Amino acid sequence: MNTLIVLLPFLGALVIGMGGFFSEGFRRQEKLIGGLATLAVAIPFGIVVLNFFSYQGTPIDFATVQWMQAGNLDISFSYTLDELSLLMAMIVNGVGALIHIYSIGYMHGDKGFYKFFAYLNLFIFSMNNLILGDNMVVMFLGWEGVGVCSYLLIGFWYEDMMKAKAAQKAFVANRIGDFAMLIAMFLVFKETGSLMFSDLNAAVGSFSSETTFWIAFLVFIAATGKSAQIPLYVWLPDAMAGPTPVSALIHAATMVTSGIYLIARIHPIYVAAPEVMAVVVIVAALTAIVAALIALAQNDIKKVLAYSTVSQLGFMFMALGAGAFTAAIFHVMTHAFFKACLFLGSGSVIHAMEHMHTVDDPQDIRTMGGLSKYMPSTSRTFWISTLAIAGIPFLSGFFSKDEIMASVFFYGYENSLYYFVYGVGMLTAFLTAFYMTRVTYLTFNGKERFPQEKKPHESPALMTLPLWVLAVLAIVAGYLGLPYVMGHGEYNMIGHGWLGKSIDNMPMMEEHATTSMELFLIGFSALVAIIGVLAARNLYRKHDLSGDDILMQRLGGLYGAMEQKFYVDELYQYFFIKPFMWFSESVIKPFDENVVDGAVRGIGDSTGSIGEVFRKLQSGLIQNYMLVVSIGVLAVLTFLIFG
């Protein structure tokens, strides 16, 4: 039965894709298509939940089928359910099922309805391969599969060139990281003769320090692509061009967390490479703070959430860099709930604004305001998730963010660099609370800034029901991983209990934490979040967006730089893309035309010239042929006689 976890989403994609391709009547059956696609994800979620409640601590292997064997290389399609993959599978399939339900209402009437759900099912199939595969090859197939599906889903409305280019950008940025992943896999096979995760983790102690460094560093480069860290984060904000359910599925709960999952899966190699851990935590801190500053000056509701995702991924990598692998996975889980709710809530808002037909840009928060009166469910769930991501006690984000920041702080006992990272993290936490309150308040509260000819309306139940489920999870999920000072018992599933047994968790914290110090850190974290929320609420209650943002007046040129995303895309264009295009036009193209094509043309021309010579010998006159034969016979006889 466990095989259905992987098989059903694939079958769903196949049936829906082929049915819609061959039958126009099938394409019109939106309820049937949406129902089949949702079941193809909901049933695997149910199977994963059953495995979770019956799990006895021994990994469950299933669907082992040999794929290929060449010398020492033996690759099988084999999957395993353990503490880490069970938790990730529940997140992927559970949140995925809710997003499928939401999409039935959101994509209603779209001419590509069947293709959209086929792509969604194919994406879940790829994610299940990524998180359940027990070897790096199956994982990599899923890794590449989600990249292809993200390309198809981001560019779903490909008639719009901006959306098509966003899909291309995501695809290319991920390929850079994927190349590093391949090299890392080659190194692993060279050292171990195997690509099984279990063999890799067991053999880490026998690796040289240089080999350990390069495997860990290359995997981290791959993770910066999939999980949107500096310098490869630029694709994720542009990926908001896709339909909003895609943003919720790919950029909140699943694909962007692949890098965190992979590092947690092979965490022993990072424990053995402290230099790479330091690189990870520095890149994470820079990513978190830069993305938070950019989010502060964005007016597109989805762009704010996109940069928020980049920033929160930075928090997760901070945890990885401090050895707090379970804290990172804990934040993956809580973030999946509140960020999926926020993205789906933004889709609900956009859905309402588009139907007004009086707003030029339905995603611009400057055209909104006062929507809570018209959209109560969307407003309440959005506010709950905003407070959760801000870290307000005692919502889920408070617990997972506190676990991360405490881990980073206590790691400072070993390396003072981590105290600086802690400071950057707390500043980012304040900015997160501020910019999320800003976007939420300006969208749902204050005065109405949209034209009054037509009023917005609440989304249908198919869209609001998933919002409420995710909002409830955003409230309660944090209690699965209570703070260290409270969580020594078995009831703590994440940090110090069920998952913590399989992944080394916060070694510096366990060694140096005291009750008084941890309580102080918890209180400080809560205070920072509360100040951030209240500061934004009070500022925008006094200075609503009737004109320029009040921050523009207060921050001046810095605001302009943040609004323009610190000109990173322009810098990439100037230093990388333009030189590459020049090199391609000036060097590669002439070389291809004159040398490569010239060699091919030369061979063809030479063959033609030789053929012309021999063609003249084929005159068709018998007497000429007889003359040649006679000369040949005479030559042979002369050779035989005179030697």
Side-chain angles (χ1 to χ4, degrees), residues 265-294:
R265 173 60 73 190
I266 60 171
H267 66 277
I269 203 161
Y270 282 86
V271 174
E275 304 92 345
V276 179
M277 296 269 279
V279 172
V280 170
V281 84
I282 292 171
V283 171
L286 288 173
T287 302
I289 189 68
V290 168
L293 288 169
I294 295 173

Side-chain angles (χ1 to χ4, degrees), residues 191-438:
E191 293 296 323
T192 66
S194 170
L195 290 169
M196 298 284 290
F197 287 118
S198 56
D199 293 338
L200 169 61
N201 290 335
V204 168
S206 63
F207 293 168
S208 67
S209 58
E210 184 179 4
T211 298
T212 303
F213 173 87
W214 281 111
I215 293 174
F217 186 68
L218 288 167
V219 170
F220 174 61
I221 292 175
T224 63
K226 269 297 183 287
S227 296
Q229 299 294 286
I230 289 174
L232 299 178
Y233 74 96
V234 291
W235 68 269
L236 192 145
D238 286 8
M240 296 302 106
T244 300
V246 174
S247 304
L249 181 65
I250 294 178
H251 309 125
T254 53
M255 174 178 157
V256 293
T257 62
S258 301
I260 293 99
Y261 163 78
L262 179 59
I263 291 177
R265 173 60 73 190
I266 60 171
H267 66 277
I269 203 161
Y270 282 86
V271 174
E275 304 92 345
V276 179
M277 296 269 279
V279 172
V280 170
V281 84
I282 292 171
V283 171
L286 288 173
T287 302
I289 189 68
V290 168
L293 288 169
I294 295 173
L296 198 60
Q298 301 303 306
N299 294 311
D300 183 311
I301 188 171
K302 286 179 68 177
K303 280 290 178 70
V304 175
L305 298 179
Y307 281 104
S308 170
T309 298
V310 175
S311 185
Q312 293 300 305
L313 290 167
F315 274 107
M316 297 172 203
F317 276 91
M318 280 188 216
L320 297 174
F325 303 104
T326 54
I329 297 299
F330 185 23
H331 200 57
V332 165
M333 181 186 71
T334 59
H335 179 264
F337 299 144
F338 53 67
K339 186 53 69 64
C341 185
L342 288 167
F343 268 118
L344 297 184
S346 72
S348 180
V349 170
I350 295 166
H351 187 266
M353 300 301 287
E354 284 177 337
H355 281 74
M356 290 173 61
H357 304 295
T358 55
V359 177
D360 292 333
D361 186 354
Q363 298 182 194
D364 193 334
I365 59 175
R366 292 171 295 188
T367 65
M368 300 175 190
L371 291 181
S372 60
K373 181 168 64 175
Y374 307 100
M375 310 180 71
S377 290
T378 301
S379 173
R380 289 165 187 162
T381 54
F382 207 96
W383 264 113
I384 289 170
S385 296
T386 291
L387 297 177
I389 193 175
I392 296 298
F394 289 89
L395 303 177
S396 61
F398 166 74
F399 293 110
S400 57
K401 184 194 69 176
D402 172 72
E403 197 91 337
I404 291 172
M405 297 317 301
S407 304
V408 172
F409 179 84
F410 285 112
Y411 209 98
Y413 283 90
E414 182 171 290
N415 186 339
S416 58
L417 166 70
Y418 286 75
Y419 288 135
F420 171 75
V421 172
Y422 175 81
V424 173
M426 293 311 298
L427 176 58
T428 305
F430 169 79
L431 293 174
T432 301
F434 189 95
Y435 70 69
M436 284 306 307
T437 303
R438 169 184 178 267

Side-chain angles (χ1 to χ4, degrees), residues 26-142:
F26 181 83
R27 291 199 291 268
R28 292 195 293 265
Q29 302 298 318
E30 290 188 359
K31 291 182 180 178
L32 175 62
I33 293 170
L36 286 174
T38 303
L39 284 174
V41 181
I43 292 174
F45 172 68
I47 297 172
V48 172
V49 171
L50 290 176
N51 278 281
F52 170 73
F53 284 110
S54 62
Y55 189 72
Q56 301 296 319
T58 303
I60 303 167
D61 298 321
F62 64 96
T64 300
V65 178
Q66 190 178 64
W67 178 17
M68 66 175 74
Q69 185 173 13
N72 293 331
L73 180 64
D74 188 351
I75 301 173
S76 298
F77 283 107
S78 54
Y79 305 90
T80 188
L81 288 169
D82 59 10
E83 293 89 347
L84 180 57
S85 60
L86 271 173
L87 182 63
M88 289 295 297
M90 284 194 291
I91 295 170
V92 169
N93 291 279
V95 175
L98 291 172
I99 292 172
H100 275 69
I101 295 170
Y102 177 94
S103 300
I104 296 171
Y106 189 88
M107 297 299 292
H108 171 64
D110 192 283
K111 64 180 181 180
F113 189 91
Y114 83 94
K115 286 194 292 185
F116 184 79
F117 279 91
Y119 295 161
L120 284 187
N121 271 191
L122 190 62
F123 178 85
I124 297 295
F125 165 72
S126 299
M127 272 304 303
N128 282 338
N129 274 275
L130 193 158
I131 59 179
L132 298 178
D134 71 353
N135 62 77
M136 297 187 78
V137 176
V138 174
M139 179 280 300
F140 190 69
L141 290 175

Side-chain angles (χ1 to χ4, degrees), residues 601-617:
R601 286 194 301 268
I603 293 172
D605 293 343
S606 300
T607 304
S609 299
I610 295 170
E612 280 293 321
V613 173
F614 283 99
R615 186 178 67 82
K616 292 177 181 179
L617 299 177

